[in-house]
Amino acid sequence: MTDVQDKPQDEPLEDEENAAPAYGLNDEIVQEIQDAIEREDAAFIHEQLEDWYSADTADLIEQLKPKLRLPFLQIMAGRLDPDVYSDLDENVRDHLVDDMDAAEIAAFVNELEIDDAVDVLEDLEEDEQRDVLREIPADDRAALQEGLSYGEDSAGRLMQRNLIAVPEYWNIGQTIDYLRDTDDLPDEFYEIFVVDPRHHPIGTIPLNHAMRSKRQVAVRDIMDEEQKLIPVDMDQEDVAYLFQQYRLTSAAVVNADGALIGVITVDDIVDVISEEAEEDILRLGGVSEDDLFGSIWSTSRSRFLWLFVNLLTAIAASVAISFFDATMEAIIALAVLMPIVASMGGNAGTQTMTVAVRALATKELTAANMFRILSKETVVALLNGVVFAVLIGAIAWVWFESSQIGMIIATAMVFNILIAGIAGMLVPVTLDRMNIDPAIASSVFVTTVTDIVGFVAFLGLATFVLL
């Protein structure tokens, strides 16, 4: 028998070429699968996807040509991990479930964790949702209906109902026996919750502590009484902050009476952090998270309002310029240099605004430190303004052979970048205080401020000095 190590290192093993992707997909694999779907080669596809993770399979479905997605599901009927549906982009999943009947949807929904199942169900139309729920056994249906009753993006939507809770008068031996004898254990859990007779959580025992303790040790003697309890209606962004701030792996969810009703684990929070970060980035650009796989009409419609608002702000900037039309007619160099002032101010403002929006989202920017950070951003803006003012002033002087034009654009540059830094901080903070999402509206206001201030400062100075 030839030892594997005897093969040349640059020569792949026999099965490596057709192996499942270790981290994500590549174009070659996607193309091979598409070709196999078109020639209806089910055996090839089954062999290729045998050991794939659900997330990789979901990525594959998203990358397939839309016309090949349903044939792929038909080929994989009975072989597809239900988690694939929860990993899919919402638009792609909606397209697929539109061609399924209620029983087919219920079949995979009932195999998902409660929180993932709720995510799938909440995207269905109400009548379709009711039809699917009717196909699900009564006990599971009640849990799903309870999950759907909580607000979107709340802790209630994130939590898992399946957890381990024991009374405080038990000892470790009883707890371990319970874990061994219970069939309905969570797939993954990190700690055991200790509850009082009213089912209120009074402490936790990390699983590793339980395994290291003697059987006769009382639960109350080793439980950690310090715990972070999450109200069922808490926003998922605040939940994510708690996990990040206190390095939690799991946390109990309680109802209005303080009773334990669920648990949130860190794997769910990783998804939330990713979603919130993606949402902030997309909103800064005026696009939505479903733009990639959405229809042409829905994508165009979602972007229209943002572009319309930007049109209005551009008109406002143009109106400001119109007040100096005589100045621009007299000195053509101003028309050439004017966009530089506005562009530099806009970029400087966007930098500060991006930092501020993210700091607000992570609660790092507060009333206590706002003045200090604003002062820092002002100094940074002033330093950058001076450097670029000297640079562009010298260029304008040489270009147009006029020291006055060089001084005008240099002064306007310093002023606009300074205002941009201040606006980039104050606009998001002000919007946040007004309970308006700063990720959505900040860039419109900051860009408007930097454009108008830049144009007015530059043309106003030119009018005063040159005319």
Side-chain angles (χ1 to χ4, degrees):
M1 180 180 293
T2 303
D3 192 276
V4 170
Q5 294 179 349
D6 292 336
K7 288 182 175 286
Q9 291 186 357
D10 58 351
E11 186 176 308
L13 299 181
E14 186 174 337
D15 295 333
E16 248 181 36
E17 294 180 0
N18 296 325
Y23 301 103
L25 307 180
N26 59 56
D27 293 340
E28 183 179 351
I29 292 175
V30 174
Q31 189 57 54
E32 288 177 356
I33 298 296
Q34 289 191 140
D35 293 341
I37 296 171
E38 290 177 338
R39 65 174 184 266
E40 299 181 356
D41 189 349
F44 176 83
I45 296 172
H46 293 165
E47 180 183 358
Q48 289 293 305
L49 272 68
E50 184 177 0
D51 299 319
W52 280 29
Y53 292 101
S54 62
D56 289 323
T57 306
D59 286 344
L60 171 66
I61 294 173
E62 292 171 0
Q63 293 184 37
L64 291 176
K65 298 174 184 177
K67 67 179 182 180
L68 297 180
R69 289 169 183 164
L70 286 175
F72 173 78
L73 292 187
Q74 293 166 358
I75 290 173
M76 293 297 294
R79 292 173 175 264
L80 209 60
D81 186 336
D83 286 333
V84 168
Y85 291 97
S86 66
D87 290 329
L88 281 172
D89 175 86
E90 290 179 14
N91 280 286
V92 176
R93 185 171 63 222
D94 290 345
H95 172 255
L96 296 177
V97 300
D98 280 345
D99 292 285
M100 297 182 182
D101 58 35
E104 290 176 308
I105 300 173
F108 76 79
V109 165
N110 202 39
E111 296 297 319
L112 297 173
E113 295 285 345
I114 294 294
D115 54 332
D116 292 329
V118 168
D119 283 341
V120 173
L121 288 172
E122 71 179 354
D123 294 328
L124 302 178
E125 299 292 339
E126 287 189 18
D127 55 343
E128 190 176 15
Q129 198 178 96
R130 286 193 295 269
D131 292 340
V132 172
L133 287 171
R134 275 196 290 267
E135 298 290 336
I136 295 175
D139 290 345
D140 295 328
R141 185 193 314 144
L144 290 172
Q145 288 173 326
E146 180 189 356
L148 289 167
S149 69
Y150 298 118
E152 189 175 355
D153 295 335
S154 68
R157 290 287 182 95
L158 284 177
M159 72 179 182
Q160 301 173 25
R161 279 77 177 165
N162 207 4
L163 51 83
I164 306 298
V166 300
E168 61 179 320
Y169 54 81
W170 275 17
N171 60 31
I172 292 299
Q174 290 173 292
T175 303
I176 292 175
D177 291 340
Y178 170 72
L179 295 177
R180 289 172 176 167
D181 296 338
T182 301
D183 295 328
D184 192 26
L185 287 178
D187 291 336
E188 294 181 6
F189 62 99
Y190 307 103
E191 56 189 355
I192 299 165
F193 295 99
V194 183
V195 295
D196 64 14
R198 296 178 300 166
H199 208 66
H200 290 184
I202 58 174
T204 62
I205 304 175
L207 203 54
N208 63 320
H209 288 181
M211 295 299 100
R212 292 171 179 167
S213 301
K214 302 293 185 181
R215 290 183 60 87
Q216 66 272 17
V217 174
V219 162
R220 68 170 66 88
D221 291 339
I222 63 167
M223 73 178 185
D224 184 0
E225 297 181 11
E226 294 293 329
Q227 57 179 326
K228 300 298 179 185
L229 302 180
I230 298 176
V232 70
D233 57 354
M234 177 180 280
D235 186 88
Q236 66 175 18
E237 196 168 351
D238 294 327
V239 177
Y241 172 75
L242 281 178
F243 270 74
Q244 287 180 288
Q245 185 74 5
Y246 300 107
R247 299 182 181 179
L248 306 177
T249 53
S250 64
V253 180
V254 296
N255 62 17
D257 297 326
L260 176 65
I261 59 172
V263 60
I264 294 176
T265 53
V266 69
D267 58 312
D268 297 313
I269 297 304
V270 170
D271 293 336
V272 171
I273 293 171
S274 176
E275 288 172 9
E276 294 293 341
E278 178 187 21
E279 184 180 82
D280 287 346
I281 291 170
L282 291 173
R283 283 179 170 180
L284 283 171
V287 296
S288 60
E289 61 184 336
D290 58 359
D291 270 12
L292 184 61
F293 296 104
S295 67
I296 293 174
W297 169 245
S298 64
T299 301
S300 299
R301 186 177 55 188
S302 68
R303 296 184 187 181
F304 174 82
L305 179 60
W306 181 265
L307 292 174
F308 182 71
V309 171
N310 276 271
L311 173 62
L312 295 180
T313 61
I315 292 173
S318 297
V319 170
I321 295 172
S322 69
F323 294 129
F324 303 96
D325 54 353
T327 305
M328 293 182 63
E329 287 176 6
I331 308 170
I332 194 63
L334 300 179
V336 176
L337 297 172
M338 184 173 60
I340 298 175
V341 180
S343 176
M344 290 298 293
N347 288 332
T350 299
Q351 288 179 331
T352 305
M353 177 195 68
T354 303
V355 172
V357 169
R358 190 62 193 144
L360 286 168
T362 57
K363 303 186 187 300
E364 294 173 346
L365 178 58
T366 64
N369 65 7
M370 187 186 70
F371 182 76
R372 175 171 53 83
I373 295 177
L374 177 60
S375 300
K376 173 201 166 186
E377 291 296 330
T378 302
V379 173
V380 169
L382 185 60
L383 289 174
N384 282 333
V386 169
V387 171
F388 284 104
V390 171
L391 181 60
I392 192 60
I395 292 173
W397 187 346
V398 173
W399 189 354
F400 296 101
E401 298 179 349
S402 171
S403 60
Q404 288 182 314
I405 290 179
M407 290 299 296
I408 289 168
I409 193 171
T411 305
M413 181 78 75
V414 172
F415 186 69
N416 198 27
I417 290 182
L418 179 61
I419 295 299
I422 296 172
M425 180 64 63
L426 290 182
V427 167
V429 170
T430 302
L431 291 173
D432 185 62
R433 295 287 173 85
M434 297 170 64
N435 293 322
I436 300 173
D437 190 341
I440 297 177
S442 293
S443 62
V444 174
F445 291 107
V446 171
T447 303
T448 302
V449 168
T450 56
D451 282 352
I452 292 177
V453 169
F455 293 143
V456 171
F458 181 54
L459 296 176
L461 281 169
T463 302
F464 180 76
V465 174
L466 300 177
L467 295 184

